[in-house]
């Protein structure tokens, strides 16, 4: 099978057909229309075997995650996704693998109405790069730099599951079913909090997605906003499968430093909290208040039941290939 045939078989003509795509796969480049009053948003992410996914990861999961991580960055910007291009490097043409990979990719592309408008295939060690494009208006774009003293620090969903999935795989740590199944599902098929991002862009002062680990990603907001923070460890929304599988201290460590949860950390002033609560509830989005932005001091001060707390290992998440 040649490159042309491969693209025809697994990628061309699949997925949503958007009206704003003038020319998709099949020419030297794609042509698209950006709405007049919006900014073009671009995010790019590479996933490499043994660094971002295990050699025995299912191709469907690899296809899903490659787009999900970009969608998560869009969620954190309050942006709306539209088009993606895919650069795929594969060691050999394996039709079963390509079928699974493209199925996983198009399942999530269909769900979020993202059209694949082009890409490239090359032979080499397995790696996937996706560049996602879309829109947001200039005044609504969520940045890391807007957090103000007094703002609440909140996080969507629950933390720690992906980190435990990686730990159980690397350490051969045995987990009971169905906890193991739930945790592996979180790691292999993460959701992107796009609906939350759309609500937040009307009220949050800053946002970031949890890719490197909660503490490390919160620190990015603090650095960009030139602020510090107080964090209430007893308020952390830890995944219930994690709480059921490891002791409390380890669960806290995984929730604080584990990566790839793809939840959103955001900051919101007291007077806008009601707006987010109302809209999030209406849309079935869960979030938890876990701390507050401070002007004085440095970095993140952790408190547990009102007392200073430093028992957890606070180093950020490293991709497992680098550990
Ligand atoms: Mg990000």
């Amino acid at each position: 099978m040649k490159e042309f045939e491969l693209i025809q078989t697994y990628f061309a003509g699949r997925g949503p057909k958007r009206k704003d795509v003038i020319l998709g796969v099949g020419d030297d480049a794609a042509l698209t229309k950006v709405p007049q009053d919006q900014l073009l948003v671009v995010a790019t992410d590479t996933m490499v075997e043994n660094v971002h996914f295990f050699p025995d990861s299912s191709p469907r999961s690899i296809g899903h995650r490659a787009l999900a991580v970009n969608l998560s960055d869009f969620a954190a910007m309050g942006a709306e996704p539209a088009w993606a291009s895919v650069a795929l490097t594969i060691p050999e043409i394996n039709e079963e693998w390509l079928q699974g990979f493209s199925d996983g990719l198009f399942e999530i592309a269909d769900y979020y109405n993202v059209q694949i408008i082009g890409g490239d295939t090359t032979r080499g060690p397995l790696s996937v790069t996706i560049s996602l494009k879309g829109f947001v208006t200039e005044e609504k774009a969520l940045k890391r730099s807007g957090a103000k003293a007094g703002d609440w620090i909140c996080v969507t969903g629950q933390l720690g599951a992906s980190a435990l999935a990686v730990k159980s795989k690397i350490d051969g740590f045995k987990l009971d079913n169905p906890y193991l199944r739930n945790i592996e599902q979180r790691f292999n098929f993460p959701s992107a909090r796009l609906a939350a991002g759309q609500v937040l862009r009307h009220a949050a002062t800053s946002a970031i997605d949890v890719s490197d680990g909660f503490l490390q990603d919160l620190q990015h907001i603090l650095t960009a906003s030139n602020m510090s923070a107080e964090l209430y460890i007893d308020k952390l929304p830890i995944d219930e499968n994690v709480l059921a599988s490891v002791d409390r201290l380890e669960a806290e460590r995984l929730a604080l430093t584990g990566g790839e949860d793809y939840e959103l950390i955001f900051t919101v002033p007291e007077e806008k909290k009601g707006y987010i609560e109302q809209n999030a509830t209406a849309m079935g989005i869960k979030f938890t208040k876990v701390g507050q932005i401070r002007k004085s001091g440095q970095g993140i001060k952790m408190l547990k039941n009102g007392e200073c707390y430093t028992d957890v290992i606070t180093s950020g998440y490293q991709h497992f290939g680098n550990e």
Side-chain angles (χ1 to χ4, degrees), residues 120-171:
D120 188 29
T121 54
T122 317
R123 210 170 274 235
L126 185 58
S127 117
V128 188
T129 299
I130 293 189
S131 179
L132 182 63
K133 288 96 178 167
F135 335 108
V136 73
T137 58
E138 191 165 6
E139 63 275 15
K140 290 278 157 62
L142 284 169
K143 299 173 202 140
R144 299 175 179 182
S145 54
K148 302 273 183 305
D151 284 358
W152 294 108
I153 301 166
C154 305
V155 64
T156 62
Q158 295 183 321
L159 302 168
S162 276
L164 185 56
V166 171
K167 181 184 162 70
S168 80
K169 188 100 181 166
I170 292 174
D171 300 351

Side-chain angles (χ1 to χ4, degrees), residues 46-159:
T46 294
M47 295 207 335
V48 177
E49 186 176 55
N50 283 317
V51 180
H52 304 91
F53 56 88
F54 295 99
D56 63 352
S57 289
S58 82
R60 201 175 135 241
S61 152
I62 296 167
H64 176 103
R65 286 181 73 226
L67 186 53
V69 297
N70 280 293
L71 287 165
S72 180
D73 281 328
F74 265 57
M77 299 299 292
E80 199 183 306
W83 323 300
S85 42
V86 182
L88 180 61
T89 305
I90 42 176
E92 62 189 346
I93 292 178
N94 173 335
E95 300 197 17
E96 200 184 325
W97 191 93
L98 282 163
Q99 187 67 54
F101 172 81
S102 58
D103 286 351
L105 176 70
F106 282 107
E107 275 159 20
I108 186 164
D110 282 350
Y111 187 80
Y112 291 109
N113 195 28
V114 172
Q115 183 168 343
I116 309 298
I117 53 169
D120 188 29
T121 54
T122 317
R123 210 170 274 235
L126 185 58
S127 117
V128 188
T129 299
I130 293 189
S131 179
L132 182 63
K133 288 96 178 167
F135 335 108
V136 73
T137 58
E138 191 165 6
E139 63 275 15
K140 290 278 157 62
L142 284 169
K143 299 173 202 140
R144 299 175 179 182
S145 54
K148 302 273 183 305
D151 284 358
W152 294 108
I153 301 166
C154 305
V155 64
T156 62
Q158 295 183 321
L159 302 168

